Amino acid sequence: MKAIKKSIYLVFFLFSLFASAQTARVTGLVLDENNNPVEGVNISYQSRSVVTNSTGFYVITIPANQKVVLVYSHVSLKSVTQTFQLKPNETVEFNPVVTNKDNQLSEVIITNNRNRVTGIINIEPEVVRNIPKLSGGIESLIKILPGVNSNTELSSAYSVRGGNYDENLVYVNEVEIYRPFLVRSGQQEGLSFTNTDLIQNIEFSAGGFQAKFGDKMSSVLDITYRKPTKFGASLEASFLGGSISAEGVSKNKKWSAMTGIRYRDNSLLVNSQETESNYRPTFADVQTVVNYDASKKWQWSFLGNISQNKYSYQPLTRQTNFGTLSEPIALQVFYEGQEEDQYQTYFGAIKSTFKSNDDNTYKFIASAYHTQEQEYYDIDAAYFLGEVDSNIGSETFGNVTFNRAIGSQLNHARNDLDALIINAEVKGSHSIKKKFQIDWGVKYTHENIRDRIVEYEVIDSAGFSINPPIIDLPQNDQPYNPYVGPLVPYQNVRALNFVSIDRISAFAQWNTKTTLGSSQLWLNAGVRAHNWTVSGDAITSSSQTVFSPRAQVSLKPDWEKDMIFRFSTGFYYQPPFYRELRDQNGAVQANVKAQQSIHFVAGNDYNFKMWDRKFKLVSEAFYKTMNDVNTYTLENVRIRYRANNEATAYAYGFDCRLNGEFVPGTESWFTFGYLKTEENQNNRGNIARPTDQRLKFGILFQDYMPNIPNVKLYLNLTYNTGLPGGSPSYADAYQYQNRLRDYRRADVGFFYSFTERNEQKPDGHWLKKFKELSLGFEVYNLFNNQNAITNTWVRDSFSKNQYGIPNYMTTRVFNIKLTARL
């Protein structure tokens, strides 16, 4: 027996000796760019792996007499690979230096001096694709930025520093993009124009922008689509719809193309609202980009889009509880009728770029936008305003026990709009002795609008029709006395407009970089001119011209701290678009002036390190004074102008944004904004503007599980104080200055990435084909907050009171999303 044991020990000894003779060791320290040791670096070969300790030290055993590829990987650093072929029992020291990843989960820290100098925020497209977003477009991320506000998650509309939804410029490949005209609510809107699958670069300015950008008063969103260099494809699918895209290049590399198809279905979101309904939307679009490099000096590109939004909505019932704990009230509504809306848009743009030499570039851009929109609805709402049983333990607890008011409301619309907008533009850029840059451009625009608006609203309370408050009619005190006056709708708008607007605009600007002592100094000065002529059937032709000088100064002191100070000012005129020419009765007022805003913006851009990681703090203080203001009412996302230039206004505030690696390897944002904006209508005194959102907090937070870096988290959190509003659109703003409740919302997404460590997988592995493959679970409105966008006004014939019942938006919704990229 002892002999057998000795034999076994001898076999194991010889085997271990042989095994050790067939292995080798690699040891060393893993260092970062500053020669500091890095803890937590994973060194792996096939199924073997070790991790560096707190001093950055590691040792790993590998097979001898064969090629072995070691992979050094870290969740926030670039991977390093090294090939070894060692002899048995050989030990080699290898000390790799690992560098920061350009983009792990999010936005790159902005180091582009051009953007820092001009005050432009640069956003990484990967962030837009990853964060949970209800609207499906880039606007969901824009709304987190400082100075940007929106209280409706289903719409791509946003306001900036006290402006409204119509005061923002949007460009894609230097071509101006237009929004639908007739949209009243976010759930009608469907898809944003920008396709996030095709985006290469995103830049945003909240004010004080240069003269090369167009004539709007608030902000600029400038988007550039990719130019493909090889074949690629992407797929995204979720309960809210899906998208697919493909791109490629020709053999001679002169042609490249990219096409994206999207489909959107908001049923999941609309069905989460209080109103039970039959909702059948179809939102779809096709977008393509074609590039042709005729030579090294001459390039051509085409951008095309076809979009169709069909919105079929049949509300059934609704119950909203409000009031107090001691006196709860419920609004019960029973609907008949439906809404059928349709928006079809066709867009095409061609751009030619000619670079005669390194110092001179010329561009020609032509585009056409055609939209056909219809908004048809007949909805009869019978409402009951009742008292709710609040006795705990009662069999009818929570139910309506007594109806104190009965009424109905009939809304009717037959609105049609057909708009054709054609643009042609020439631009040039010239570098003079490498010291100065001059940019210029001339643009012609023709707008042809054919619009029919037929809307009315009839309100009945306790069986008696309610007369409008703004028309001098006999008093209706039925049933005590018979009413002998005419029966008229509570609101009634009827108009037929055929309008043409011709515009010629031009700009010129000068840029230079110089020094002020040992500090760097950037200067920019420019001017815009805009002439427009309004004409049409039964319209007296009107022509006007405005000039907009603008300037920017940026200074980078010769300090150890990486800081840039900026100041910008200028005139920002907004010549009226068709919607701003149409008053609340539907009539076109051709002599409406351009609204004027003078910006004063002072900012600081500070790059610094904290916890040995990069951070950026951007802060701006701003003041805007506005003249010839075209006042308006805001209901959900529909703006109705008074077309009268009867007001002056101002806005001032402070915005700041801190972004950096709060979690190693990830980029997160924390934003804060303070705003106060008021207007003075006809010298009646200052009152809050409809977009006076006093405080704003926004967070974009990204994280991962250290032990399972494949699992990632994306959190999008917003808090906005309440907007002035909720009053009826016909009301006098000076008598209704109540605010809606504060807007609170958190959306979160959890994703598992199957391609997190693709470089460690053997050649031929099926996941090697994918740049990205992830499966995620998203929760919208995580805390199920009740956010209101408007109020429904109901009259109580018993107490003669009016109640503003909140119209709540979406509740908590769950979604599953699959993303794949080749």
Side-chain angles (χ1 to χ4, degrees):
M1 191 71 179
K2 291 182 178 179
I4 295 175
K5 287 184 176 180
K6 289 181 179 179
S7 299
I8 293 175
Y9 292 150
L10 181 60
V11 169
F12 274 105
F13 174 76
L14 293 174
F15 177 79
S16 60
L17 185 63
F18 174 79
S20 64
Q22 299 302 314
T23 61
R25 296 197 312 166
V26 179
T27 185
L29 297 175
V30 179
L31 307 172
D32 64 12
E33 295 167 293
N34 299 317
N35 287 326
N36 297 318
V38 182
E39 181 183 3
V41 176
N42 183 277
I43 301 98
S44 61
Y45 166 70
Q46 294 184 352
S47 60
R48 300 182 191 179
S49 66
V50 297
V51 178
T52 58
N53 61 17
S54 58
T55 64
F57 177 79
Y58 74 96
V59 59
I60 185 171
T61 301
I62 63 173
N65 295 325
Q66 67 182 69
K67 286 187 178 181
V68 174
V69 178
L70 289 185
V71 179
Y72 298 74
S73 61
H74 188 276
V75 70
S76 63
L77 302 169
K78 287 184 177 180
S79 296
V80 174
T81 60
Q82 181 66 35
T83 303
F84 298 91
Q85 187 169 0
L86 305 181
K87 298 176 181 179
N89 294 325
E90 184 179 0
T91 299
V92 171
E93 182 179 345
F94 178 64
N95 302 319
V97 175
V98 289
T99 58
N100 288 328
K101 284 189 176 181
D102 290 333
N103 178 28
Q104 171 63 22
L105 285 174
S106 59
E107 175 196 1
V108 179
I109 292 284
I110 304 166
T111 57
N112 187 325
N113 267 345
R114 182 183 66 85
N115 289 342
R116 295 185 70 192
V117 167
T118 58
I120 289 176
I121 297 173
N122 190 287
I123 302 170
E124 190 67 24
E126 201 66 28
V127 185
V128 181
R129 289 191 280 264
N130 288 335
I131 67 166
K133 48 189 179 296
L134 278 184
S135 64
I138 184 182
E139 292 80 9
S140 295
L141 188 61
I142 295 296
K143 294 174 185 179
I144 309 175
L145 295 176
V148 183
N149 295 299
S150 177
N151 272 22
T152 170
E153 60 264 16
L154 291 178
S155 173
S156 62
Y158 55 88
S159 64
V160 179
R161 293 180 176 174
N164 68 30
Y165 302 148
D166 292 336
E167 296 178 11
N168 306 305
L169 285 163
V170 179
Y171 293 98
V172 173
N173 288 359
E174 301 184 70
V175 181
E176 187 173 355
I177 304 302
Y178 302 91
R179 297 183 67 246
F181 288 76
L182 297 182
V183 169
R184 300 185 343 270
S185 64
Q187 65 191 41
Q188 298 172 284
E189 191 169 320
L191 292 163
S192 163
F193 180 91
T194 54
N195 187 328
T196 57
D197 293 334
L198 312 182
I199 292 176
Q200 174 181 313
N201 189 52
I202 304 165
E203 296 181 345
F204 179 78
S205 173
F209 44 88
Q210 296 179 357
K212 66 179 180 180
F213 296 111
D215 296 291
K216 296 283 188 180
M217 292 199 299
S218 290
S219 73
V220 173
L221 176 60
D222 192 10
I223 297 169
T224 304
Y225 279 174
R226 285 193 310 278
K227 186 175 181 179
T229 57
K230 60 181 180 179
F231 173 79
S234 69
L235 170 70
E236 184 177 293
S238 76
F239 292 153
L240 296 174
S243 65
I244 186 171
S245 69
E247 59 188 82
V249 296
S250 63
K251 289 183 179 181
N252 61 7
K253 305 296 183 180
K254 287 194 171 186
W255 290 89
S256 63
M258 181 169 53
T259 298
I261 301 174
R262 296 182 295 171
Y263 172 80
R264 181 81 174 174
D265 186 344
N266 283 342
S267 299
L268 183 68
L269 305 173
V270 174
N271 291 337
S272 74
Q273 296 176 321
E274 288 184 320
T275 302
E276 295 184 15
S277 63
N278 293 324
Y279 179 64
R280 299 179 301 277
T282 303
F283 304 138
D285 81 341
V286 179
Q287 202 162 129
T288 188
V289 180
V290 180
N291 303 290
Y292 173 60
D293 294 340
S295 66
K296 291 183 178 180
K297 293 186 176 183
W298 208 318
Q299 293 86 39
W300 297 78
S301 66
F302 170 79
L303 170 64
N305 179 75
I306 299 176
S307 174
Q308 182 178 68
N309 294 351
K310 290 186 177 180
Y311 175 83
S312 180
Y313 181 66
Q314 184 181 15
L316 301 175
T317 62
R318 166 189 172 180
Q319 178 168 333
T320 302
N321 297 327
F322 64 103
T324 63
L325 290 175
S326 60
E327 189 180 356
I329 304 174
L331 172 70
Q332 293 178 305
V333 185
F334 300 89
Y335 296 95
E336 290 186 0
Q338 63 180 352
E339 180 172 354
E340 295 285 345
D341 300 335
Q342 183 169 306
Y343 310 91
Q344 290 183 326
T345 61
Y346 306 89
F347 174 86
I350 189 168
K351 181 171 76 170
S352 177
T353 302
F354 179 70
K355 191 172 184 179
S356 60
N357 52 49
D358 291 340
D359 296 328
N360 298 282
T361 301
Y362 303 89
K363 296 179 181 180
F364 171 76
I365 303 171
S367 66
Y369 172 81
H370 185 207
T371 180
Q372 295 175 311
E373 305 176 18
Q374 86 171 27
E375 184 182 46
Y376 291 180
Y377 57 81
D378 288 284
I379 298 178
D380 182 27
Y383 67 82
F384 300 84
L385 196 62
E387 297 178 357
V388 179
D389 186 355
S390 59
N391 295 320
I392 299 177
S394 172
E395 294 182 356
T396 59
F397 175 73
N399 295 331
V400 176
T401 57
F402 173 72
N403 286 322
R404 56 198 286 185
I406 300 174
S408 65
Q409 178 177 317
L410 173 64
N411 286 281
H412 167 92
R414 293 294 184 271
N415 299 331
D416 294 281
L417 184 138
D418 189 308
L420 176 64
I421 302 174
I422 298 173
N423 295 284
E425 181 178 11
V426 177
K427 297 196 295 185
S429 180
H430 310 280
S431 177
I432 301 175
K433 297 181 180 180
K434 307 298 182 182
K435 294 183 178 181
F436 309 102
Q437 181 175 324
I438 295 177
D439 300 301
W440 58 271
V442 179
K443 181 179 180 180
Y444 169 75
T445 301
H446 175 73
E447 302 163 9
N448 186 269
I449 314 292
R450 296 165 293 283
D451 178 30
R452 182 190 72 164
I453 178 171
V454 178
E455 289 183 14
Y456 63 76
E457 177 185 30
V458 177
I459 298 178
D460 178 281
S461 181
F464 305 104
S465 179
I466 303 297
N467 284 332
I470 56 176
I471 300 179
D472 187 15
L473 293 171
Q475 182 178 2
N476 185 353
D477 59 353
Q478 296 183 81
Y480 307 105
N481 295 296
Y483 177 67
V484 295
L487 292 175
V488 296
Y490 197 77
Q491 293 189 81
N492 186 22
V493 179
R494 292 176 178 268
L496 183 65
N497 299 315
F498 296 88
V499 180
S500 292
I501 306 174
D502 292 287
R503 306 178 188 272
I504 297 178
S505 60
F507 78 90
Q509 70 176 35
W510 167 84
N511 304 273
T512 189
K513 177 183 177 182
T514 183
T515 57
L516 183 63
S518 60
S519 301
Q520 298 180 63
L521 182 68
W522 290 266
L523 302 173
N524 171 274
V527 63
R528 291 191 63 86
H530 192 127
N531 171 270
W532 72 99
T533 302
V534 180
S535 60
D537 293 356
I539 295 175
T540 302
S541 180
S542 175
S543 181
Q544 302 178 57
T545 303
V546 293
F547 295 91
S548 307
R550 304 172 188 178
Q552 290 183 338
V553 179
S554 298
L555 178 71
K556 189 178 190 303
D558 185 18
W559 296 346
E560 289 186 8
K561 293 183 178 180
D562 185 6
M563 280 191 177
I564 290 181
F565 296 90
R566 297 188 303 265
F567 177 77
S568 58
T569 186
F571 285 73
Y572 294 82
Y573 282 96
Q574 181 163 321
F577 201 49
Y578 170 72
R579 184 155 46 188
E580 296 155 78
L581 295 171
R582 194 179 70 179
D583 64 20
Q584 295 186 326
N585 295 318
V588 172
Q589 307 296 332
N591 59 351
V592 171
K593 298 179 182 178
Q595 300 181 83
Q596 180 204 77
S597 177
I598 304 176
H599 292 197
F600 301 93
V601 182
N604 174 264
D605 188 304
Y606 178 32
N607 286 339
F608 63 97
K609 277 196 171 184
M610 185 168 57
W611 310 314
D612 289 326
R613 298 193 290 269
K614 294 180 179 180
F615 286 84
K616 171 184 282 289
L617 176 64
V618 179
S619 54
E620 287 190 338
F622 62 90
Y623 178 82
K624 299 194 290 188
T625 178
M626 290 164 270
N627 297 298
D628 293 324
V629 174
N630 193 345
T631 57
Y632 59 90
T633 60
L634 177 63
E635 183 177 359
N636 203 313
V637 298
R638 181 169 70 172
I639 297 174
R640 284 281 174 87
Y641 290 93
R642 296 187 177 92
N644 52 19
N645 298 115
E646 67 177 7
T648 59
Y650 69 86
Y652 66 81
F654 174 78
D655 295 329
C656 66
R657 172 175 175 255
L658 175 65
N659 67 293
E661 295 185 46
F662 291 92
V663 176
T666 72
E667 206 70 43
S668 298
W669 305 348
F670 290 82
T671 63
F672 166 76
Y674 171 80
L675 166 72
K676 183 175 183 180
T677 180
E678 292 184 326
E679 64 187 20
N680 183 349
Q681 301 180 15
N682 283 329
N683 295 319
R684 297 175 64 186
N686 288 329
I687 58 170
R689 303 194 76 199
T691 53
D692 180 35
Q693 200 147 46
R694 197 58 52 87
L695 295 176
K696 183 258 179 69
F697 297 91
I699 296 176
L700 172 66
F701 190 77
Q702 305 182 75
D703 201 354
Y704 60 89
M705 296 179 65
N707 295 327
I708 314 176
N710 300 62
V711 178
K712 298 174 172 53
L713 175 144
Y714 302 93
L715 175 66
N716 178 359
L717 190 147
T718 304
Y719 171 80
N720 298 327
T721 52
L723 286 168
S727 60
S729 59
Y730 53 81
D732 185 350
Y734 282 83
Q735 296 179 8
Y736 289 89
Q737 276 291 294
N738 294 330
R739 289 180 179 262
L740 295 168
R741 61 175 61 193
D742 294 352
Y743 181 87
R744 302 178 297 273
R745 186 175 184 88
D747 300 326
V748 65
F750 302 91
F751 288 85
Y752 184 87
S753 174
F754 297 94
T755 54
E756 176 64 20
R757 295 185 175 180
N758 254 10
E759 68 275 3
Q760 301 180 22
K761 296 180 176 65
D763 293 339
H765 195 283
W766 67 277
L767 283 174
K768 283 276 193 177
K769 300 177 182 178
F770 292 91
K771 292 180 181 177
E772 177 187 356
L773 180 62
S774 63
L775 181 64
F777 176 71
E778 298 177 324
V779 185
Y780 297 109
N781 198 356
L782 178 64
F783 303 113
N784 205 26
N785 293 313
Q786 288 187 314
N787 296 310
I789 184 67
T790 56
N791 285 332
T792 295
W793 290 86
V794 174
R795 292 162 179 77
D796 181 351
S797 59
F798 176 74
S799 64
K800 307 301 182 183
N801 291 329
Q802 289 191 72
Y803 295 95
I805 294 97
N807 295 318
Y808 295 120
M809 291 182 284
T810 58
T811 57
R812 185 187 294 118
V813 173
F814 302 96
N815 184 40
I816 294 176
K817 185 168 75 173
L818 173 69
T819 303
R821 295 186 184 281
L822 296 176

